[in-house]
Amino acid sequence: MTIAAFGEVMLRLTVPDHLLLEQTDQLQMSFTGTGVNILASLAHFGQDTRLISAVPANRLGSAAQGALRRIGVGDRFVQQRGDHLGSFFVELGYGNRPESVTYQNRLASAFGTSTVADYPVTAALQDVDVLHICGISLSLTAGTREAAFAFAEAAAKQKTAVCFDFNYRVALNQHNTHEQMRQYYQRMLKSSQVVFGSRRDLTDLMGYPRDTTDEPLFKQFLADYDLRVFAGTKRLQKDGRDFIQGFVCDEAGLHWSEPQELMILDRIGGGDAYAAGIIYGLTQQWQVDRSLTFAVANTALAHAQIGDSPLATLAQVNAFIASSGATGGLIR
């Protein structure tokens, strides 16, 4: 099974030891992005992966590609062009202090300035079973948007399953109107089969009525765009404890996982871990309940590590499920 993703690579700079930026002169460097994270997780489940992206034609770009290979992400279709990589600083939260992310210029990055002409669409999609596209590519620039459309439409034409993640970010859309973004998403959805998002994506971006309950709302969305699956998560808090609950809506109806308690070391990447778990379940043709349990377990483990890219193996996720999450001891 070969799974590809089209999306940006970013440089993450993490402040160590739960310090603030003002308190340190050291940073921990890693490379990330929605596609990177999902493929890294799937690679740890034994899948063949392929990232389609662009990084700078310099030492930083080479380091990024080396980091991708180290976590199992295939980089054959990562182009080197330009001289800039989008980046962000992470200040880890603790107690009552939330985790904080500060972005640097993504629009000028090697990926942000790329166009469909920079990518060998046909070759990149050859023998691909599943293609993942992140909605951020629709927001960055006209070049990334048209490339995303080209990949999605070519994949749909050759019967490759297209997974699309809403990942809508208002801050990235200062030059696009709300109606423009809705039209871009509508076009992408026409090529998609599996979509990750939230109730708010449907009501606030796509214009569905807010007074409709979840199941009829989600099923109407599936019917309108001839989708196979709509999936996502909901965060819960009870007695000061954090929980996450996953859902999958398909033709049979709306399915929810049991709430899973989280012990949060790093919040970033949890949604990507969930998406990877659902995608893996679909490729294995699992029943929905099994996919939900697996995806939520992968999400819990992702929250318990530093860094965006989920690195739990298939054995580790299964051990977490078998022990009902009680795997925090010592493994020798």
Side-chain angles (χ1 to χ4, degrees):
M1 184 69 67
T2 300
I3 303 171
F6 173 74
E8 66 183 330
V9 178
M10 297 192 72
L11 173 64
R12 169 175 162 156
L13 299 165
T14 305
V15 181
D17 302 323
H18 292 86
L19 297 172
L20 301 175
L21 272 170
E22 298 95 315
Q23 297 176 297
T24 187
D25 56 4
Q26 298 181 348
L27 296 168
Q28 297 170 337
M29 183 175 76
S30 60
F31 297 93
T32 183
T34 297
V36 174
N37 298 340
I38 289 173
L39 294 183
S41 187
L42 289 164
H44 280 68
F45 301 153
Q47 303 299 289
D48 181 49
T49 65
R50 180 182 302 178
L51 183 67
I52 306 164
S53 190
V55 296
N58 54 31
R59 292 271 295 159
L60 185 59
S62 296
Q65 287 188 257
L68 294 176
R69 293 191 296 270
R70 189 164 61 246
I71 57 176
V73 177
D75 69 329
R76 177 185 170 195
F77 292 99
V78 175
Q79 318 297 317
Q80 287 205 354
R81 57 181 308 281
D83 59 9
H84 177 61
L85 190 68
S87 61
F88 62 100
F89 296 86
V90 176
E91 296 166 278
L92 296 169
Y94 187 83
N96 295 327
R97 177 167 58 84
E99 192 158 331
S100 177
V101 175
T102 303
Y103 288 100
Q104 300 228 87
N105 191 354
R106 316 165 72 162
L107 302 181
S109 71
F111 180 79
T113 57
S114 67
T115 69
V116 66
D118 294 300
Y119 302 103
V121 176
T122 301
L125 292 177
Q126 186 174 0
D127 300 323
V128 169
D129 299 290
V130 178
L131 171 68
H132 181 278
I133 294 180
C134 176
I136 287 174
S137 62
L138 304 186
S139 299
L140 287 178
T141 64
T144 61
R145 185 163 51 248
E146 289 306 315
F149 288 145
F151 275 106
E153 289 162 8
K157 187 176 180 180
Q158 70 178 33
K159 306 301 182 184
T160 294
V162 176
C163 296
F164 176 62
D165 192 328
F166 265 87
N167 242 323
Y168 182 65
R169 299 286 186 272
V170 175
L172 285 175
N173 288 290
Q174 298 175 2
H175 304 294
N176 299 307
T177 67
H178 184 88
E179 185 55 36
Q180 282 176 321
M181 290 309 302
R182 181 175 6 214
Q183 291 175 7
Y184 298 150
Y185 274 74
Q186 287 172 333
R187 179 177 171 183
M188 179 61 70
L189 289 167
K190 291 178 181 177
S191 299
S192 305
Q193 288 186 313
V194 177
V195 175
F196 296 96
S198 67
R199 176 186 174 86
R200 190 169 63 179
D201 289 324
L202 303 190
T203 58
D204 294 9
L205 176 59
M206 304 307 295
Y208 285 87
R210 290 185 173 87
D211 58 356
T212 307
T213 57
D214 285 346
E215 184 163 2
L217 173 64
F218 297 168
K219 291 187 78 172
Q220 186 62 54
F221 176 58
L222 293 180
D224 288 346
Y225 294 97
D226 194 25
L227 301 171
R228 178 182 170 192
V229 167
F230 180 54
T233 60
K234 179 171 67 175
R235 290 182 180 269
L236 311 166
Q237 276 202 331
K238 183 179 179 180
D239 300 328
R241 297 152 62 196
D242 292 294
F243 295 82
I244 197 163
Q245 192 173 17
F247 73 83
V248 165
C249 188
D250 59 16
E251 62 179 8
L254 178 60
H255 316 262
W256 286 95
S257 74
E258 292 296 321
Q260 170 63 56
E261 186 172 5
L262 301 176
M263 300 297 290
I264 300 174
L265 188 60
D266 189 346
R267 291 184 177 274
I268 305 174
D272 299 333
Y274 178 78
I278 293 296
I279 291 170
Y280 184 72
L282 290 170
T283 64
Q284 302 304 300
Q285 300 182 337
W286 286 348
Q287 295 294 319
V288 174
D289 288 348
R290 183 178 180 185
S291 293
L292 277 168
T293 300
F294 184 86
V296 168
N298 196 41
T299 305
L301 289 170
H303 278 85
Q305 65 158 74
I306 296 292
D308 294 30
S309 298
L311 302 178
T313 64
L314 192 59
Q316 289 169 332
V317 177
N318 286 331
F320 182 95
I321 295 169
S323 66
S324 300
T327 57
L330 175 64
I331 299 175
R332 294 185 184 273

